[in-house]
Amino acid sequence: MLRQTKIVATLGPSSSDPITLRAMLTAGVDVVRINFSHADASASQLISLVREIAEELQLPVAVMADLQGPKIRIGRFENKSITLVEGQDFTLDCNAAELLGNHTEVSVAYPNLSAELTPGDHLLLNDGLVELEVKEIVGSKIHCRVIEGGILSDLKGLNRKGGGLAARTMTEKDKRDLRTAIEAEVDYISLSFVKDAEDIRHTRALMSEFGKKIPIIAKIERTEALDYLTEIILESDAIMVARGDLGVEIGAAEVPAIQKHIIGEARRLDKVVITATQMMESMINNPQPTRAEVSDVANAILDGTDAVMLSAETASGQFPVKVLTMVNKICLSAEKHASFYYDSNDETCHYQRADQAIAMATMHAANHFPIRAIITLTESGDTALWISRQQSRVPIIAVSANKRTIGRLCLAHNVFPVFMNYYSFNSETLNQQVLTELIRLGHLETKGFVLLTRGRIIGTAGGTNSMEIIQV
């Protein structure tokens, strides 16, 4: 059985050597994530290595560059970390970048923080494990009382409970990293801490200055983003439910319902969606997951997510290959039992383009006739993406002569991209030549019916206008 759900794996110290990378790609990674919170221009070498191994294994693998974004972080401590105790006073200084913190104070790398807070606000640090209440603000100094103590170490993140801090995306570091990612020709740019659609438009404008257009994944991890969810989805190419910082801002108890809402809205608007953060957290140190983690991954699939993402589990965990093998098993089991369908509505039933209408007609035919595979010859990947929005067990084999399209489709649910330079094929026998090549490559069996979509003029994006049922 082919796995429909895609797996995104973050690369890091545990997964950057050629042997481990080869094992991970063989185990089923569809997209590798480069986390630029912990990377710089040297990431280009790692991206080249991934592509070299993928080429050797003849596997389609996409590369996602995840920009750090304007995450507000505290500074460093004299002794790397401190322990805060409930009830003690603690000060955050927004104008002391060189300050080495101690048990009474630490710097914050966001000069406007003091202007955006008021006494009574609650601040959450280290993914919500430490909580402070703002008591008084004097100039750049925010005097707090510890509500929930704990260990606090260098460069931990800071959020306001309930969200609302006004930091925008695209820091100077992000701009440098964006250039690095573009030069490395990544397949996706993941944008952190998106507030509204303007953040995405601003990033596209920066890409244009660099002369490139790369699909953007908008990470939903701020409270404010939920108020602008529809416009963010419409403006982006894909969505990530980034449950870490989102859970800190809205509270962990709210995350499951919000996750379902985001996934449902993304699917309604025909956009790819990823579910991320702590999916198999215990496997950072243990060779087996908890049953709760297995249920978490399975429920994301039953919600309709296109992909699940692993972070520290593969970046710094002890069992990067084992965790992938386990997630693969969970995906296959959940898909076998999945029975979710999405209601049609006016937005998804009335089409302005012939290729979109062909895509929907294709899936209707595939679900009501014994079709073994849907083969779509695609330039841009749009037809394959639209077909993938409908629930079906029929695999979608997306054949493209465009390597950028192959990378884009690695993230789409139930789409299996195959690179094939069919421009040289005879136009009169093109369909048969494509089928013959797919059989030779092992992607297609030599019996049964397949459904093939293509455009009349090969090589023209947006030109899909025909659908044919072929007996192999």
Side-chain angles (χ1 to χ4, degrees), residues 66 188 201 222 227 253 268 287 292 302 322 326 331 334-335 345-346 379 410 413 451 461 464 466:
D66 195 334
Y188 283 96
R201 288 191 285 267
R222 300 176 67 156
D227 296 328
R268 185 180 73 83
L302 297 174
K322 281 189 176 182
M326 178 56 68
C331 291
E335 290 163 4
N345 56 42
D346 289 342
E379 295 298 320
C410 284
H413 182 268
L451 201 157
T464 299
S466 72

Side-chain angles (χ1 to χ4, degrees), residues 309-368:
M309 191 177 96
L310 301 167
S311 300
E313 300 96 326
T314 52
S316 56
Q318 297 179 40
F319 309 99
V321 179
K322 281 189 176 182
V323 72
L324 286 165
T325 302
M326 178 56 68
V327 171
N328 184 65
K329 288 180 182 178
I330 298 167
C331 291
L332 289 170
S333 177
E335 290 163 4
K336 183 171 61 178
H337 298 292
S339 59
F340 54 94
Y341 294 89
Y342 295 88
D343 294 332
S344 295
N345 56 42
D346 289 342
E347 288 180 272
T348 57
C349 282
H350 295 82
Y351 315 119
Q352 304 300 314
R353 292 172 49 167
D355 49 357
Q356 191 173 14
I358 289 290
M360 296 305 102
T362 295
M363 188 51 78
H364 181 80
N367 282 337
H368 294 83

Side-chain angles (χ1 to χ4, degrees), residues 6-307:
K6 300 307 176 76
I7 300 176
V8 182
T10 305
L11 301 186
S14 295
S15 51
S16 297
D17 64 281
I19 294 174
T20 305
L21 274 174
R22 188 173 286 104
M24 287 173 62
L25 266 57
T26 303
V29 172
D30 299 288
V31 182
V32 296
R33 169 179 174 252
I34 308 296
N35 184 1
F36 274 92
S37 295
H38 307 290
D40 52 27
S42 63
S44 297
Q45 298 173 0
L46 181 56
I47 293 170
S48 296
L49 179 60
V50 169
R51 293 220 164 102
E52 180 183 316
I53 294 171
E55 186 80 20
E56 173 193 320
L57 296 173
Q58 294 187 315
L59 293 172
V61 177
V63 177
M64 174 201 302
D66 195 334
L67 304 183
Q68 177 178 288
K71 187 177 180 75
I72 300 170
R73 297 180 184 273
I74 61 171
R76 298 182 183 274
F77 292 97
E78 292 175 357
N79 298 313
K80 305 297 182 184
S81 68
I82 61 167
T83 299
L84 294 177
V85 179
E86 180 182 340
Q88 80 168 82
D89 294 328
F90 191 69
T91 299
L92 304 171
D93 196 331
C94 307
N95 192 26
E98 304 302 318
L99 172 69
L100 284 176
N102 52 43
H103 68 282
T104 63
E105 64 178 345
V106 73
S107 64
V108 177
Y110 182 45
N112 293 333
L113 183 61
S114 57
E116 295 183 19
L117 296 175
T118 57
D121 282 344
H122 284 237
L123 302 176
L124 301 167
L125 296 87
N126 191 15
D127 288 335
L129 298 178
V130 173
E131 182 174 351
L132 310 177
E133 182 183 3
V134 177
K135 305 304 292 183
E136 184 184 19
I137 300 171
V138 180
S140 65
K141 295 193 175 185
I142 305 163
H143 299 285
C144 305
R145 179 168 298 143
V146 178
I147 303 299
E148 192 69 48
I151 296 173
L152 195 58
S153 55
D154 294 347
L155 305 176
K156 289 300 182 183
L158 179 152
N159 302 75
R160 176 162 61 185
K161 198 170 188 176
L165 296 179
R168 278 281 183 184
T169 56
M170 277 293 129
T171 64
E172 289 306 310
K173 172 176 166 54
D174 290 332
K175 292 175 184 177
R176 293 193 300 271
D177 292 341
L178 178 63
R179 182 181 287 276
T180 297
I182 287 173
E183 289 174 351
E185 297 187 334
V186 301
D187 300 286
Y188 283 96
I189 296 291
S190 189
L191 204 56
S192 299
F193 299 100
V194 170
K195 184 175 183 179
D196 52 34
E198 182 54 38
D199 286 337
I200 301 163
R201 288 191 285 267
H202 177 58
T203 304
R204 288 201 201 283
L206 282 174
M207 284 188 197
S208 297
E209 292 178 15
F210 298 146
K212 291 288 184 178
K213 183 179 179 182
I214 298 174
I216 293 176
I217 300 169
K219 294 169 69 176
I220 307 299
E221 52 192 336
R222 300 176 67 156
T223 303
E224 304 96 303
L226 298 175
D227 296 328
Y228 301 100
L229 183 61
T230 299
E231 71 170 51
I232 290 171
I233 294 172
L234 288 171
E235 189 66 38
S236 63
D237 299 284
I239 293 294
M240 183 188 296
V241 188
R243 304 180 302 179
D245 283 283
L246 182 62
V248 171
E249 292 208 355
I250 68 174
E254 296 293 321
V255 170
I258 294 297
Q259 172 179 311
K260 290 177 184 292
H261 172 62
I262 296 171
I263 292 173
E265 190 70 359
R267 291 195 65 97
R268 185 180 73 83
L269 297 172
D270 290 338
K271 294 297 174 74
V272 170
V273 58
I274 307 164
T275 304
T277 319
Q278 295 183 332
M279 304 216 76
M280 304 289 275
E281 188 81 355
S282 70
M283 285 194 76
I284 294 172
N285 299 308
N286 299 306
Q288 291 293 326
T290 66
R291 287 168 179 78
E293 289 166 341
V294 172
S295 294
D296 182 38
V297 174
N299 280 315
I301 293 164
L302 297 174
D303 287 343
T305 194
D306 286 86

